[in-house]
Amino acid sequence: MFGTYLDPAVAEHVLREGPSLAGAEVEVTALFLDVRGFTGYAERHPAREVVAALNTLFELVVRGHDGHVDKFVGDGLLAVFGAPQADIQHADHARAAALDIETVRKQTPGQQLDIGIGLNSGTVIAGNIGGAGRFDYSVIGDAINVAARVEAATRHTGDTILLSEQTRRLLRTDHSLIARPDITLKGKSAPVTLYAPDQPAVR
């Protein structure tokens, strides 16, 4: 039962390390996924149908590639690659997961929700967040915020998946990416170059 609410890798980490609040500085790739047009969809459909559609989508998303879902955020989610278990190929695994998500979503009959996915890599603090005896294992840092901004940029470029320059530099396996025109992300002063994958997922 607890395994349905807490990722096994996180559970093992917490049992091993205990409820320390110190946290650890680690390099990760964050995958931020959001449903496009969700407000309008929720307005047009009964709440039970909306929940069922989200659960169907998330059932497709939560799978393999050595990452874990850090949290569900309403109609989206944040997945992390590289914590709590170190992974030198976290960028490649995050990219593979994103491609898989989009491939499976398109191939699933009756899947109605459109999505955007943003990937960004960087150094974060991973550890227990909370107080008064209630904690949540999570990752905190600018790299996470930027992943959400990269996802938001998919609405401007028309892509389903976008990667940041930081993630592109960390890719270790063969990849084909298409650079998009520079765009200024919300909260950032300088324009950045984002990249869209130019090949299907390998299953």
Side-chain angles (χ1 to χ4, degrees), residues 52-87:
L54 283 176
N55 286 339
T56 298
L57 172 64
F58 291 150
E59 180 69 25
L60 304 178
V61 171
V62 183
R63 58 175 70 220
H65 291 295
D66 297 322
H68 80 273
V69 175
D70 183 86
K71 59 177 65 71
F72 292 99
V73 189
D75 59 314
L77 65 81
L78 168 65
V80 178
F81 299 76
Q85 297 173 331
D87 178 10

Side-chain angles (χ1 to χ4, degrees), residues 9-195:
V10 174
E12 292 174 8
H13 174 81
V14 172
L15 289 172
R16 183 174 63 251
E17 302 296 332
S20 169
L21 296 179
E25 192 173 83
V26 294
E27 184 182 71
V28 303
T29 295
L31 181 157
F32 193 87
L33 178 151
D34 193 49
V35 174
R36 293 172 174 164
F38 182 74
T39 300
Y41 179 85
E43 183 180 23
R44 297 189 303 271
H45 296 79
R48 189 176 297 277
E49 188 175 327
V50 172
V51 172
L54 283 176
N55 286 339
T56 298
L57 172 64
F58 291 150
E59 180 69 25
L60 304 178
V61 171
V62 183
R63 58 175 70 220
H65 291 295
D66 297 322
H68 80 273
V69 175
D70 183 86
K71 59 177 65 71
F72 292 99
V73 189
D75 59 314
L77 65 81
L78 168 65
V80 178
F81 299 76
Q85 297 173 331
D87 178 10
I88 61 173
Q89 289 187 284
H90 54 82
D92 292 284
H93 289 149
R95 173 180 168 276
L99 289 168
D100 248 9
I101 289 168
E102 177 59 359
T103 297
V104 173
R105 187 191 68 83
K106 287 181 176 179
Q107 295 174 349
T108 301
Q111 176 52 244
Q112 307 175 54
L113 301 179
D114 192 18
I115 61 172
I117 299 175
L119 302 180
N120 182 55
S121 306
T123 301
V124 300
I125 296 296
N128 296 314
I129 307 296
R134 296 291 301 275
F135 301 101
D136 184 23
Y137 180 87
S138 189
V139 288
I140 302 294
D142 185 59
I144 306 302
N145 301 330
V146 171
R149 303 293 185 246
V150 172
E151 183 283 319
T154 63
R155 292 160 174 77
H156 300 289
T157 66
D159 298 293
T160 297
I161 303 168
L162 285 176
L163 294 77
S164 69
E165 176 66 29
Q166 290 83 351
T167 298
R168 185 195 69 79
R169 290 176 181 173
L170 291 174
L171 292 174
R172 291 168 172 260
T173 56
D174 291 339
H175 59 274
S176 179
L177 301 173
I178 303 173
R180 296 306 187 206
D182 287 0
I183 186 170
T184 301
L185 302 180
K186 183 178 179 181
K188 298 297 180 180
S189 57
V192 298
T193 301
L194 301 177
Y195 301 85

